[in-house]
Amino acid sequence: MAKNTSLYFRIVEGRNLPAKDVSGTSDPYCIVKVDNEVVARTATVWKNLSPFWGEEYTLHLPMGFHSLSFHVMDEDTIGHDDVIGKITLSKEAIGSQAKGLDCWLNLTKVDPDEEVQGEIHLSLELLKDTEKISLRCQVIEARDLAPRDISGTSDPFTRVIFNNHSAETSIIKKTRFPHWGETLELELDPEELSEEGAVTVEVWDWDMVGKNDFLGKVEIPFACLHKTPPLEGWFRLLPLGNNEVDAGGKLGALRLKVRLVEDRILPSVYYQPLIHLLVESVISPTEVEDSSALTMLEEVNTVESRQDVAMTLVKIYLGQGLVVPFLDYLNTREVNHTTDPNTLFRSNSLSSKAMEQFMKVRRRICCFIAVGMLYLHEVLKPIINRIFDEKKYIELDPCKIDLNRTRRISFKGAVSEAEVRDSSVEMLQSYLTSIIESIVGSVDQCPPVMRVAFKQLHKRVEEQFAEPENEDVKYLAISGFFFLRFFAPAILTPKLFQLRDQHADTRTSRTLLLLAKALQSVGNLGLQLGHGKEQWMAPLHPIILRSVASVKDFLDKLIDIDHDIVSEVPQRAVFMPSVTVKEGFLHKHKAEGPQLLSRFAVKKRYFWLTSETLSYAKTPDWQVRSSIPIQCVCAVERVDENAFQQQNVMQVITQDNEGQLHTMYIQCKVHWY
């Protein structure tokens, strides 16, 4: 039986952060640590004291963990980034909430003595003879100590303390993985044997100038040493134990969603009866109204757990090559149970959640990068990049137009609200036209399995609502998922769909919000135009209405596909034209024989990771690139920090046309992989 620990967390937003820059604002981002090891970094939100991130992460921790911490930093172009504050949650605090944490938490000050990490290998025993009584402590080694020096290492030594007795090891220079192999002895008085205190082992970083830096401690109850054999093992280093002082909100707060799931996983053979029941439900259904394993699951799961259940089921049926019959089964039940077409798929039913998760999991299912993400990038990335690059001030709401934020549109004098509005309408129409044209022209790029799923959905809705007055329902059922739950969210928050590395600034965010609203109206086929409160969106209504015919034509072509051409076993992507997955500056070193990674041998290069190649050049605009085809990458793995005394180093092993293996080391500031 295996144990799996999964940690789900979402960094939603911050509020009332202190200003760290001379401009009276900050450029905040979050670093996430598990047991003081960096596992994630959010994007930077520029010039904002109440930033919104909305970034979600899932960690699978086979060895478990002790604490989860969120450090809020202020990014500086020159010099070191400023520390704003942190929040630390113990595993026990997270696990005590069955439904997880979802709340605002105040940031606390960062105390260097609390920022410890690593373990120490010790052996302790109590020696008694007729002549003396002594406490013997073998300090063997330590690993993954916190870097305290500017070189990224430390100069550690260990101190053993009991009552008024103490002894120290030698100092090991410039390492985070020291090996001492020393034995320290403390002579004790006979009356001290009855003490109920603890033996403390402290690790310090020696500094020639100034005070030494604390690296962590271990406390062992003295009573444990009366037992035999000697106490030996690896011990986790703990902080000094200073209580974190809530600054009363003076450092701001974060809204976090954190949930801990600990599962015990049985051998796969134990799950086969359940898999058989689930498969039988969709392979040979008698009547949709009859009870089955799926219908019972739908009845017993709660609203809170429905999304997790839907995701698990989608993954199971994808693995079985039956995701289309599975979705068809649920959608048929949903359609048959709906009497008012206006409420179709509007609830958080298992079928609507399954369709939503299906479109999301298609972004993750493949061996490299999923089909849905490639499709999304192919359709939206050019226009999203254009919006970010142009940084136009766009506003239609008269209550929000700020003339001080506009650039001069003409040379005739001050810009009026009418000029801002006219310019905004013109730009929004241009952007929206490009988005619609890109979507309706993407039939051939849409993953076949998605097209077949939509074809089945179209068929079921058309059968149930065949009346002439419900002619549009079959289109709305598809566009509700396709436009409202797939494209519109990606336009609203491109960072969360990896369309951009950073969140949009305030100006660009407003543009994206207006476009997302307009695209939702396109997905609704313009049926709700003029009925809402936002009448200032009216200038976009004509272009939305003109797009209805092309959207319907697109949906008709989308479902015009032969069911039999989709082979879902295995369901893997046929890659479309190369799409950039991630890009940015990294530090590169090409191994030339056995040697250490010196800082002078490392070169800063701009890397592009696409669906086809890993390439790099001196700068983003450099004409000459070195490229490695993905199929030539044999292995990628993280390098132990002890190897080069550097963090976040990975090695990429490639094979050339002659079969020779080559190793390249890549280092990034935080986890890039």
Side-chain angles (χ1 to χ4, degrees):
M1 180 185 297
K3 184 178 180 180
N4 181 58
T5 300
S6 298
L7 195 57
Y8 306 89
F9 57 92
R10 185 176 191 227
I11 305 171
V12 185
E13 57 186 322
R15 69 182 180 193
N16 302 329
L17 300 182
K20 290 291 185 178
D21 300 335
V22 293
S23 61
T25 184
S26 292
D27 305 313
Y29 66 92
C30 287
I31 289 177
V32 186
K33 297 182 179 181
V34 172
D35 293 341
N36 282 304
E37 179 182 356
V38 176
V39 295
R41 182 199 192 278
T42 69
T44 301
V45 180
W46 304 101
K47 293 180 171 45
N48 201 316
L49 299 180
S50 295
F52 175 82
W53 288 288
E55 298 192 22
E56 296 182 2
Y57 301 88
T58 299
L59 297 178
H60 299 290
L61 306 166
M63 302 301 292
F65 72 105
H66 299 281
S67 66
L68 173 70
S69 59
F70 302 85
H71 293 243
V72 182
M73 311 289 292
D74 167 54
E75 183 164 332
D76 289 332
T77 305
I78 302 174
H80 294 289
D81 294 348
D82 299 317
V83 179
I84 294 177
K86 74 164 186 174
I87 294 168
T88 300
L89 301 171
S90 67
K91 178 183 177 182
E92 291 71 27
I94 301 171
S96 64
Q97 304 294 321
K99 296 182 179 180
L101 295 168
D102 182 0
C103 58
W104 285 95
L105 297 170
N106 287 339
L107 292 166
T108 61
K109 293 182 179 180
V110 176
D111 183 351
D113 289 341
E114 299 297 301
E115 304 303 305
V116 303
Q117 65 186 64
E119 299 174 302
I120 188 168
H121 190 187
L122 302 171
S123 175
L124 295 94
E125 62 179 323
L126 196 59
L127 302 177
K128 305 176 188 176
D129 57 35
T130 56
E131 296 182 1
K132 66 176 182 177
I133 302 171
S134 63
L135 170 63
R136 175 179 293 172
C137 177
Q138 287 184 296
V139 183
I140 303 169
E141 59 183 325
R143 60 191 180 195
D144 197 28
L145 299 180
R148 289 286 190 256
D149 298 338
I150 195 171
S151 62
T153 62
S154 292
D155 304 319
F157 69 92
T158 300
R159 180 183 297 148
V160 180
I161 306 169
F162 180 69
N163 288 345
N164 295 321
H165 310 284
S166 67
E168 296 179 357
T169 66
S170 58
I171 300 168
I172 308 294
K173 295 290 189 68
K174 295 183 179 179
T175 181
R176 296 176 52 236
F177 297 80
H179 181 87
W180 288 284
E182 298 182 24
T183 300
L184 305 177
E185 285 197 14
L186 305 178
E187 290 194 16
L188 308 181
D189 298 327
E191 56 269 21
E192 290 182 293
L193 293 177
S194 60
E195 293 284 345
E196 296 182 355
V199 178
T200 302
V201 180
E202 298 177 344
V203 184
W204 292 82
D205 167 50
W206 176 82
D207 286 332
M208 181 179 295
V209 180
K211 66 175 185 177
N212 298 329
D213 299 313
F214 182 71
L215 293 175
K217 70 174 183 178
V218 174
E219 290 187 341
I220 300 170
F222 187 73
C224 295
L225 302 181
H226 290 285
K227 304 174 183 178
T228 55
L231 183 64
E232 180 180 352
W234 283 94
F235 297 87
R236 177 171 169 258
L237 292 170
L238 300 175
L240 273 177
N242 301 333
N243 293 326
E244 293 185 352
V245 179
D246 189 330
K250 293 181 180 179
L251 297 178
L254 287 184
R255 185 186 172 198
L256 302 172
K257 293 184 178 182
V258 185
R259 185 162 58 92
L260 175 66
V261 176
E262 292 186 295
D263 297 317
R264 296 193 177 275
I265 304 173
L266 301 172
S268 60
V269 64
Y270 289 93
Y271 298 102
Q272 290 309 308
L274 174 60
I275 298 294
H276 178 73
L277 284 173
L278 294 175
V279 168
E280 283 297 313
S281 297
V282 300
I283 284 183
S284 54
T286 51
E287 291 291 338
V288 175
E289 300 301 325
D290 292 346
S291 294
S292 67
L294 273 179
T295 58
M296 287 187 284
L297 273 175
E298 186 172 16
E299 291 170 0
V300 300
N301 71 79
T302 62
V303 175
E304 293 83 3
S305 66
R306 196 157 293 157
Q307 181 165 311
D308 291 337
V309 172
M311 173 61 79
T312 302
L313 288 173
V314 167
K315 289 181 177 179
I316 289 174
Y317 283 104
L318 277 168
Q320 297 296 316
L322 294 169
V323 70
V324 171
F326 159 66
L327 294 173
D328 185 40
Y329 181 88
L330 290 183
N331 289 338
T332 301
R333 284 179 53 83
E334 174 87 0
V335 170
N336 289 351
H337 289 164
T338 303
T339 55
D340 182 359
N342 294 317
T343 63
L344 186 62
F345 296 113
R346 299 296 182 182
S347 66
N348 289 321
S349 63
L350 185 60
S351 59
S352 61
K353 285 294 182 183
M355 282 292 290
E356 187 176 333
Q357 293 303 314
F358 162 68
M359 298 182 73
K360 291 180 179 179
V361 81
R362 293 305 304 166
R363 296 196 294 267
R364 294 191 284 267
I365 194 77
C366 290
C367 56
F368 185 68
I369 181 171
V371 183
M373 180 65 81
L374 288 170
Y375 173 52
L376 196 69
H377 280 221
E378 183 81 7
V379 173
L380 290 184
K381 192 162 188 177
I383 183 62
I384 293 295
N385 287 342
R386 176 188 162 197
I387 295 169
F388 271 75
D389 293 341
E390 293 181 349
K391 291 185 172 63
K392 298 287 187 180
Y393 177 70
I394 293 176
E395 185 55 75
L396 297 181
D397 187 350
C399 299
K400 294 184 178 181
I401 291 179
D402 183 359
L403 298 181
N404 294 324
R405 295 178 58 191
T406 64
R407 295 176 179 174
R408 186 178 296 275
I409 297 177
S410 69
F411 295 98
K412 297 179 180 179
V415 179
S416 66
E417 283 193 16
E419 288 178 300
V420 173
R421 184 174 174 81
D422 291 344
S423 173
S424 298
V425 169
E426 182 181 352
M427 289 307 304
L428 286 173
Q429 287 176 339
S430 174
Y431 291 148
L432 187 59
T433 298
S434 297
I435 291 172
I436 294 172
E437 288 178 352
S438 184
I439 292 175
V440 300
S442 67
V443 173
D444 293 335
Q445 291 116 307
C446 185
V449 68
M450 289 175 63
R451 295 179 63 183
V452 171
F454 287 135
K455 178 178 182 177
Q456 292 297 101
L457 175 59
H458 179 276
K459 176 183 177 182
R460 302 306 180 192
V461 174
E462 190 174 39
E463 291 172 347
Q464 178 70 7
F465 301 102
E467 300 83 4
E469 62 269 21
N470 293 326
E471 172 67 21
D472 287 335
V473 177
K474 60 188 177 185
Y475 294 112
L476 290 168
I478 302 174
S479 63
F481 289 110
F482 207 68
F483 285 87
L484 277 64
R485 304 191 190 190
F486 189 55
F487 284 114
I491 291 172
L492 183 63
T493 52
K495 169 67 172 65
L496 303 188
F497 289 77
Q498 290 80 53
L499 287 165
R500 297 288 296 189
D501 286 336
Q502 301 288 344
H503 286 292
D505 57 25
T506 304
R507 174 178 292 192
T508 306
S509 291
R510 182 61 179 171
T511 301
L512 296 173
L513 175 61
L514 294 173
L515 287 171
K517 287 176 178 289
L519 193 65
Q520 287 178 331
S521 296
V522 172
N524 285 324
L525 304 181
L527 297 177
Q528 299 177 5
L529 293 180
H531 300 295
K533 298 179 181 179
E534 299 173 340
Q535 294 302 313
W536 40 264
M537 290 285 288
L540 297 181
H541 291 179
I543 191 173
I544 292 171
L545 292 173
R546 286 197 301 270
S547 70
V548 171
S550 61
V551 168
K552 288 184 177 180
D553 182 62
F554 163 70
L555 296 177
D556 285 334
K557 292 177 180 177
L558 194 72
I559 63 173
D560 185 14
I561 184 172
D562 187 351
H563 191 294
D564 296 333
I565 73 169
V566 179
S567 175
E568 294 192 297
V569 186
Q571 196 45 251
R572 293 293 183 257
V574 176
F575 289 118
M576 294 172 292
S578 181
V579 174
T580 300
V581 180
K582 200 166 184 67
E583 59 183 287
F585 278 107
L586 298 172
H587 291 89
K588 166 192 164 291
H589 171 80
K590 187 174 181 181
E592 301 290 350
Q595 57 184 4
L596 290 178
L597 181 61
S598 68
R599 63 176 183 172
F600 301 105
V602 175
K603 297 179 180 179
K604 188 176 182 180
R605 292 291 182 263
Y606 196 88
F607 276 77
W608 295 265
L609 177 62
T610 75
S611 55
E612 296 179 350
T613 63
L614 174 66
S615 56
Y616 55 90
K618 286 186 177 181
T619 65
D621 301 324
W622 200 259
Q623 297 299 314
V624 180
R625 294 189 188 183
S626 299
S627 295
I628 303 170
I630 291 301
Q631 60 266 29
C632 294
V633 178
C634 303
V636 179
E637 61 181 350
R638 184 177 178 180
V639 177
D640 193 311
E641 293 180 9
N642 190 31
F644 300 126
Q645 297 294 318
Q646 299 285 346
Q647 293 181 305
N648 303 325
V649 178
M650 57 182 172
Q651 65 176 353
V652 181
I653 301 174
T654 61
Q655 188 175 42
D656 60 24
N657 294 332
E658 298 177 355
Q660 295 294 318
L661 296 179
H662 303 274
T663 302
M664 177 171 61
Y665 296 98
I666 299 175
Q667 183 190 22
C668 42
K669 186 176 181 181
V670 295
H671 295 286
W672 200 72
Y673 45 96

